[in-house]
Amino acid sequence: MVIGAKVTRVSTNPIVYHSFNCTSDVYTKLLEAYAQNGALQSGKTLHAHLVINGLAQKTHFASKLIAFYAERKQLPHARKLFDQIPESNIRRWIVLIGAYARHGFYEEAMSVFSEMQREGVKPNKFVLPSVLKACGRFSDFRMGAILHGVILKNEFEFDSYVVSALIDMYSKCGKVEKAKRVFYGMVDKDLVAMNALVSGYLQYGIVNDALVLVEEMKIQGMKPNVVTYNTLIAGFSQEDDQVLVCKVIELMHDDGLELDVVSWTSIISGLVQNFHNREAFGMFKRMLDVGLCPTSATISSILPACATVADLMLGREIHGYTMVTGIEKDVYAKSALIDMYAKCGLISEAKELFSKTSERNSVTWNSMIFGYANHGYCSEAIELFNQMLREEERKPDHLTFTAALTACSHAGMVQYGESLFKMMQDKYAIKPRLEHFACMVDLLGRAGKLDEAYNLIQSMPIEPDLFVWGAFLGACRQHGNMDLAEIAAKQLAKLEPESAGSSVLLSSLYADASKWANVAKLKRVIKKKKLKKFPGCSWVEVA
DNA sequence: ATAGGGTTAG
């Protein structure tokens, strides 16, 4: 067997290894080769062979195997191996925590870090950036502040990786002042640290400070890179500020940089988020015209704009592209596709995608449950919700419960809905939000339990909004309760003076009750306030 | 080991 550059081409059949009676060296080379581009299956085969030869638990191999699985997002495999190694060495912890943080499992990253500390392993400067990242993404400021203490105590504050990660953590937690203080305390300010602070300013809405910082640092000789500019573009585009987006593009040109796929994706994403679907499609086309290939992020950004029957054709084309490129497997793109089909009413297509999915996150589940619930497949929605509860790797979140409660409300399942509302708080420690109260009011109200709905509203720990009162008013109308309807309408008038929605609803209520004089009076009020009723509309697809 | 773009919402 030849060992060296061509080692990736070696057969992955364990019988072949066995017959060659491999040495440790061969395994090491194989593992290193697989680490970069090996398929998951090849790695598993090699792993099996190491187990047979009693080598899997040797620290040297185990660390490499952990890294192999972690890199392919096989965190449960990585964790299992990790647990099988008795020896406690910080490298293993770094690999595992880093993998969790890189793949978005922030809670796991932090809990493994706590575990590491409980076992008496002292954090070093290599593990801290990953943990700080997890804190930031999870907005765990308390933990982040403790880590800041660890950094100072161990004199890690001169390590640029650690400090940049610290600034990023404070930025993500919305503690811009702290981020600023750390940045200005740096002796050698580096680009990554500056970019982290720019991102903090933007998230905090101090757009001008972000621009000023970049200009200031330019004067001091720092050269912004494409990451700096993309951060600015993303922030401005989300704010729907096309003028500033253009300004940044000009700055990029001045610096001799051109827009990359991340720049385009940021622009498209902002347009879609701000409902400029046509402009987003235009940008998407221009991006293709300049020869850039959309990534899974581009696809997940543009798909929500196709989630209407009128633009389904484009959505289908994009779906085709994801199948050809392999992007379809990406959990973001997959969830967006499921949502798109569901929103267009193509439940069976959504379902097919959902059932073929190997990797699902809460968004994937929620999209499908919402799809069912919003199209009247209430029992399917509830069934899927229960399946999610049974499959423990993904916990339901506040949107899962919104989706499930919506299904209950459409199906008139009052008791079950009430039990879910309770379970959400007691078992999953999710505080009810406005949308949950709105669902509950809708659920109780539709069932004619107006007093219970009203009591619920009055017991709310947060101020009811127009959806809550709107649901209540709708129920009052349905059941012809004028007294409670007037209470709701008054609250609505306070909340949404600029919209005529509640007044229109109230006027039809009065019409139902044959109080024509009141209808006329209301219509005058609406006219006087120049309120506009948004007409309902429908789309047909023209081939 | 650190910085940029992404999916669900009554």
Side-chain angles (χ1 to χ4, degrees):
Chain A
M1 181 185 289
V2 181
I3 302 159
K6 286 194 173 177
V7 80
T8 43
R9 306 179 73 138
V10 158
S11 164
T12 56
N13 183 343
I15 295 164
V16 175
Y17 298 157
H18 192 69
S19 60
F20 276 94
N21 198 9
C22 293
T23 62
S24 286
D25 254 16
V26 176
Y27 288 127
T28 305
K29 293 275 184 199
L30 279 167
L31 266 172
E32 278 165 7
Y34 284 174
Q36 292 155 23
N37 51 15
L40 180 60
Q41 199 48 52
S42 324
K44 282 187 177 171
T45 309
L46 184 54
H47 181 188
H49 206 60
L50 286 166
V51 171
I52 292 166
N53 289 326
L55 293 168
Q57 290 193 27
K58 295 258 188 253
T59 314
H60 165 69
F61 291 119
S63 294
K64 285 199 158 45
L65 280 168
I66 292 171
F68 175 84
Y69 285 120
E71 212 40 63
R72 282 149 193 80
K73 233 178 161 176
Q74 305 293 312
L75 277 311
H77 277 295
R79 177 70 219 217
K80 213 170 151 191
L81 271 164
F82 179 92
D83 287 334
Q84 287 168 359
I85 309 169
E87 185 188 330
S88 200
N89 124 358
I90 189 154
R91 274 193 62 87
R92 289 162 47 231
W93 291 98
I94 294 171
V95 169
L96 194 66
I97 293 169
Y100 278 126
R102 235 172 323 117
H103 289 120
F105 301 99
Y106 303 119
E107 279 175 291
E108 287 87 347
M110 289 196 288
S111 74
V112 174
F113 178 69
S114 308
E115 233 180 286
M116 175 185 126
Q117 287 187 301
R118 274 200 302 279
E119 294 207 359
V121 179
K122 289 264 169 283
N124 68 3
K125 65 177 183 178
F126 295 104
V127 76
L128 283 169
S130 299
V131 188
L132 285 163
K133 182 181 182 180
C135 282
R137 303 296 162 114
F138 207 67
S139 274
D140 189 344
F141 167 66
R142 290 173 62 93
M143 181 67 163
I146 292 171
L147 292 172
H148 194 170
V150 172
I151 291 166
L152 297 177
K153 204 177 129 196
N154 293 286
E155 296 178 5
F156 293 145
E157 76 262 40
F158 302 106
D159 183 273
S160 71
Y161 281 79
V162 172
V163 178
S164 296
L166 182 65
I167 293 170
D168 181 56
M169 181 278 293
Y170 278 133
S171 288
K172 295 264 180 344
C173 291
K175 307 280 175 187
V176 185
E177 281 307 317
K178 299 240 180 216
K180 220 170 139 178
R181 207 172 307 156
V182 176
F183 179 75
Y184 284 103
M186 284 176 86
V187 185
D188 290 315
K189 298 184 178 47
D190 83 347
L191 185 57
V192 177
M194 181 188 84
N195 289 345
L197 184 58
V198 167
S199 147
Y201 282 153
L202 291 171
Q203 281 169 60
Y204 205 68
I206 33 185
V207 167
N208 205 45
D209 291 24
L211 283 170
V212 169
L213 173 65
V214 173
E215 288 304 323
E216 199 182 283
M217 295 307 294
K218 256 183 171 176
I219 293 166
Q220 294 189 27
M222 181 143 5
K223 266 188 89 161
N225 62 2
V226 67
V227 175
T228 320
Y229 289 123
N230 284 342
T231 308
L232 292 168
I233 289 177
F236 299 154
S237 191
Q238 289 295 323
E239 290 298 311
D240 208 9
D241 194 329
Q242 315 306 337
V243 176
L244 283 178
V245 170
C246 291
K247 188 183 164 171
V248 177
I249 293 172
E250 273 175 34
L251 288 172
M252 282 180 87
H253 276 281
D254 294 345
D255 281 357
L257 300 164
E258 297 299 335
L259 275 72
D260 69 4
V261 66
V262 176
S263 326
W264 284 94
T265 302
S266 305
I267 296 168
I268 291 168
S269 166
L271 290 169
V272 174
Q273 294 303 314
N274 290 293
F275 309 105
H276 305 304
N277 288 359
R278 294 290 131 199
E279 290 83 351
F281 294 145
M283 279 293 170
F284 186 64
K285 196 176 167 298
R286 277 177 62 185
M287 174 184 158
L288 300 177
D289 287 343
V290 300
L292 285 168
C293 289
T295 64
S296 58
T298 322
I299 298 302
S300 353
S301 303
I302 195 78
L303 278 174
C306 308
T308 134
V309 177
D311 293 310
L312 178 60
M313 276 312 287
L314 180 59
R316 283 196 189 281
E317 276 181 42
I318 292 175
H319 183 189
Y321 176 80
T322 67
M323 297 200 299
V324 174
T325 53
I327 288 173
E328 197 187 25
K329 288 193 194 71
D330 179 88
V331 68
Y332 286 85
K334 178 67 74 87
S335 304
L337 282 166
I338 291 169
D339 182 60
M340 178 193 78
Y341 282 122
K343 284 222 177 78
C344 294
L346 299 167
I347 297 296
S348 60
E349 309 213 31
K351 187 187 164 191
E352 187 172 344
L353 277 171
F354 182 84
S355 57
K356 291 197 307 205
T357 300
S358 55
E359 189 194 350
R360 295 168 184 164
N361 65 17
S362 51
V363 181
T364 326
W365 286 94
N366 293 351
S367 299
M368 195 64 229
I369 300 172
F370 268 118
Y372 279 138
N374 288 331
H375 287 89
Y377 299 91
C378 298
S379 55
E380 284 86 351
I382 297 298
E383 203 176 299
L384 198 61
F385 169 78
N386 282 311
Q387 191 190 332
M388 186 179 177
L389 297 195
R390 284 195 303 272
E391 297 188 8
E392 286 188 12
E393 81 266 22
R394 276 296 150 196
K395 272 197 267 174
D397 61 16
H398 68 104
L399 286 173
T400 316
F401 279 98
T402 307
L405 288 173
T406 303
C408 292
S409 137
H410 290 176
M413 301 162 70
V414 181
Q415 278 195 343
Y416 189 67
E418 284 177 314
S419 73
L420 289 186
F421 191 60
K422 199 172 178 308
M423 181 213 276
M424 170 177 94
Q425 298 169 70
D426 298 347
K427 189 168 174 195
Y428 293 96
I430 298 169
K431 276 204 194 105
R433 303 185 183 200
L434 286 165
E435 55 267 33
H436 301 118
F437 284 111
C439 282
M440 287 308 294
V441 168
D442 191 60
L443 178 66
L444 294 166
R446 279 178 201 237
K449 303 189 167 194
L450 293 175
D451 290 331
E452 280 180 46
Y454 189 48
N455 287 340
L456 179 66
I457 294 176
Q458 285 181 312
S459 73
M460 281 171 61
I462 38 178
E463 203 58 37
D465 69 352
L466 90 172
F467 289 101
V468 175
W469 285 116
F472 188 59
L473 180 58
C476 293
R477 182 191 168 196
Q478 186 193 334
H479 295 282
N481 188 322
M482 301 297 291
D483 297 336
L484 290 174
E486 278 192 50
I487 295 174
K490 271 187 194 154
Q491 296 294 334
L492 276 166
K494 272 197 233 165
L495 288 166
E496 48 153 7
E498 76 285 351
S499 153
S502 59
S503 307
V504 172
L505 194 57
L506 191 65
S507 90
S508 23
L509 169 78
Y510 279 127
D512 285 350
S514 311
K515 293 191 177 180
W516 299 108
N518 286 323
V519 176
K521 202 169 119 192
L522 261 167
K523 281 185 177 164
R524 276 199 299 278
V525 174
I526 292 170
K527 212 172 172 182
K528 201 171 152 192
K529 287 189 186 167
K530 283 189 194 150
L531 296 174
K532 244 173 89 182
K533 183 189 174 188
F534 291 101
C537 60
S538 58
W539 289 96
V540 274
E541 197 180 305
V542 182

